[in-house]
Amino acid sequence: MILTFFNHELKAFWRSKNTGKSIAVKVFLGLMMLYLLACVLFLSFVLDKLLGELFPKDDLVVAFCGILLVYFLYDMVMRLQLQELPTLKVQPYLHLPVKRNTIISYLALTALFSFFNLWPIVLFTPFIVKIILPENGASVASAIWLSIVGISVFNNYLALYIKRRANLNGWIFLAVGGLLSLIVCGDYIWHLYSIQKASNLVFGNLLKTPVLVMVPLLMAIAMFYINFFYLKDNLYLEELSSKKAEDRKSSTEIPLLGRFGHIGDLVANEIKLILRNKRPRSALVMGLFFLFYGLIFYTQKVYGEGMKVFVGMFMTGFFIISYGQFMYSWQAAHFDGILVSKVKFRDFLRAKYLLFAMVSTVAFVLTTPYAYFGWRTVMIHFVMYLWNIGINTTIVLWFANFNQKRIDLTKGASFNWEGVGASQLLLSFPLLICPYLIYLPFRYLLHSSDWGFGAMAIIAVVGIATRDFWIKQLERDFYNKRYKIAEGFRNK
Amino acid sequence: MIEIKNLKKVYNGVTVVNIPALQIQKGESVGLVGNNGAGKTTLFRMILDLIRPQAGEVLSKGEVVAGGEAWKQYTAAYLDEGFLIDYLTPEEYLYFIGGLHQQSKAQVDEEMNALSDFFNGEIIKKGKYIRDLSKGNQCKVGVASCLLQNPELLMLDEPFANIDPSTQFRLKNILKDQNKNKGVTTIVSSHDLNHVTDVCDRILLMEKGVVIKDIATSSSTLAELEEYFGVGQTSGTVNYTAPGIDQEENH
């Protein structure tokens, strides 16, 4: 029976729309995976040298033992954020004559097929074989290896257990998050204890008495059963699903937008779309994080002004890029309604321009503290802000006409490849190249950055002033493609 | 009101809709029936300019629908949940639709009050987004948004499918009221023959994309339709096939 489940699971993976329909996306994803794996493999083979450099005073094995618990602590943090619950997939089997234990074992076992369980093995096995095996013998090496496997399995089920509990009660997640950050702070900020030393203690004893490997293994088995029985008690749809208990939803209004009439209404709807759905919301949050992007570059003298063009564009326009690259897909679920409604497509486009201009303005205002790095930085940001609303918005919306992929708004953003296609990859080229096409000739041929910025500002302002012309072009282009776009959006 | 000329839609070599000529007059109430895959929804979508026909055209008030905007002023339609903005609350959505037709919130509230029976206390002020409503309640929101637009042409695709019996009765009364008292042209598709013969004065029966029957509703219509759909069930002796129906039509 479990084999049948696995078979279905494989089919679900290969046939899912998330995996990407087009071969290009599949190849790209495959390459990314291989690249990541290669990185980890490389890291694992140089781990001994790396540890030798990081902890020159310590013995290699001692240093290795020291980082293990630290690794698993971060592993836990990552799992809590990113690991997905293998849950709703069981729904079609619940009413069939399949034993509950079979379903639950299947659920519990598939949870093991996570990249998080592969990393520690890939990362640490070469070190164990290279260093510990010749130095401490086979029994110690296998004890360390088994305990690493044991702790990852333990982490795996603990993370899932916490996530399942948190589904029913959101406070649990906050409590665990608080606890984890207290543990981290206790070591690195308050210096109350050292996780590294604790790790040394644990694995040092393991080196002396390999039989202790039973402890992590037993912990892993215990956690597996805790998870198993918890699932067994709660095998009901509402408890399994990742939907949290719903609060009362209230209608909200954004009074400022009332002044823009119809277009303001459309923008208000779109702001609700962004705030009320997981994936667009994370695009917005990412945009906020990108406001700190400048700190990485501006604090280092290596990067000249050319870099500020790039960084300024990202900081003031990250939302335009991250949200805009999937344009119209966000509204795929009600696109038919938009087409039939009285909304003129021209107004629909104007609303997009208004939304982007508003968010960019907010981003620009938030970046003014970069005046710390000189007012010239703020000037560059302002030029890039104009560029974003004058040029980039039009580029992004033009590419939106090529996008025919539906997006399910309710799904999270991490590892979600839904809606990703060639148009997103192509979009990055004009966005990255265009500003430099203007800026670099001025800088290197005329030796004047100022003229470069001046030219960019003028072009951007012309872009803003001729907006209606571009909207007309976009609308005409859309009318040629609308049947295809609408049909693509209808394909679930 | 609506005129269809040589309309044709082909998917992967299969003709889904093929209507040489069809006229719907102002003030008519038309019921569209047919088994799954008969082409009802495709026809609706072509009338609403959502998909491109291979050939032919749809005219609304004498103007070609494709690429036009004028028909949007007086046409209201609800085909499926794809017409609703699902992350809004029903109130927000209805205010938005009302706003498109220059209605103030007070006016929308008034309209919604008039529909409170139809909503049955399940739509307004429930603190839910449209996506969290059941399919039946979503349908109510869709129908309400249509009525809010005070349309001259109202198109509903299987509105009776997901709603409860009480709402079905109320919806039938609403449709009759719109058609008889307000002169709204209605086009409704349904699998429920009782409802559709009750509400509509004219029935179009589609099969494999072709309108094979075009009848004015009379006391015998229901029986006629039941005979067509009850293949091999109503009577073992009469086995209806397409040519047989054509003869009946001629008769």
Side-chain angles (χ1 to χ4, degrees), chain B residues 6 41 133 142 150 153 163 229 237 240 248:
Chain B
N6 296 319
T41 307
L133 297 175
N150 292 320
L153 173 63
I163 54 180
F229 284 106
T237 49
Y240 273 95
E248 178 119 323

Side-chain angles (χ1 to χ4, degrees), chain A residues 85-120:
Chain A
L85 283 177
T87 45
L88 257 185
K89 289 176 265 174
V90 296
Q91 188 175 349
Y93 307 108
L94 284 177
H95 63 102
L96 295 176
V98 182
K99 282 217 172 70
R100 298 184 132 228
N101 277 356
T102 318
I103 295 180
I104 298 164
S105 340
Y106 160 74
L107 257 186
L109 283 176
T110 42
L112 285 178
F113 291 91
S114 160
F115 272 105
F116 287 102
N117 295 325
L118 189 64
W119 295 143

Side-chain angles (χ1 to χ4, degrees), chain A residues 397-411:
Chain A
L397 288 177
W398 189 70
F399 271 88
N401 281 345
F402 293 93
N403 187 8
Q404 301 157 13
K405 291 203 167 67
R406 188 186 172 96
I407 283 184
D408 183 354
L409 286 172
T410 48
K411 292 201 182 107

Side-chain angles (χ1 to χ4, degrees), chain A residues 369-425:
Chain A
Y370 280 105
Y372 175 77
F373 297 97
W375 283 102
R376 200 177 156 76
T377 310
V378 177
M379 185 275 287
I380 297 173
H381 286 178
F382 186 70
V383 172
M384 292 324 290
Y385 156 72
L386 290 178
W387 184 268
N388 272 321
I389 55 179
I391 307 294
N392 280 351
T393 310
T394 307
I395 296 179
V396 162
L397 288 177
W398 189 70
F399 271 88
N401 281 345
F402 293 93
N403 187 8
Q404 301 157 13
K405 291 203 167 67
R406 188 186 172 96
I407 283 184
D408 183 354
L409 286 172
T410 48
K411 292 201 182 107
S414 51
F415 300 121
N416 191 346
W417 295 87
E418 195 178 34
V420 179
S423 74
Q424 279 80 21
L425 300 177

Side-chain angles (χ1 to χ4, degrees), chain A residues 276-277 339 479 482-483, chain B residues 49 69 72 89 92 127 131:
Chain A
R276 291 175 183 181
N277 293 292
L339 288 181
Y479 267 114
R482 77 204 134 124
Y483 296 112
Chain B
D49 191 29
E69 301 272 10
K72 292 183 182 175
T89 60
E92 285 173 339
R131 64 170 177 233

Side-chain angles (χ1 to χ4, degrees), chain B residues 207-225:
Chain B
E207 188 182 273
K208 293 182 182 139
V210 183
V211 177
I212 54 170
K213 276 193 187 204
D214 183 350
I215 33 182
T217 315
S218 63
S219 52
S220 64
T221 311
L222 184 59
E224 199 179 335
L225 289 174

Side-chain angles (χ1 to χ4, degrees), chain B residues 207 213 224 226-248:
Chain B
E207 188 182 273
K213 276 193 187 204
E224 199 179 335
E226 274 176 348
E227 228 168 336
Y228 165 77
F229 284 106
V231 185
Q233 212 185 35
T234 40
S235 55
T237 49
V238 189
N239 198 357
Y240 273 95
T241 50
I245 286 162
D246 278 344
Q247 275 169 12
E248 178 119 323

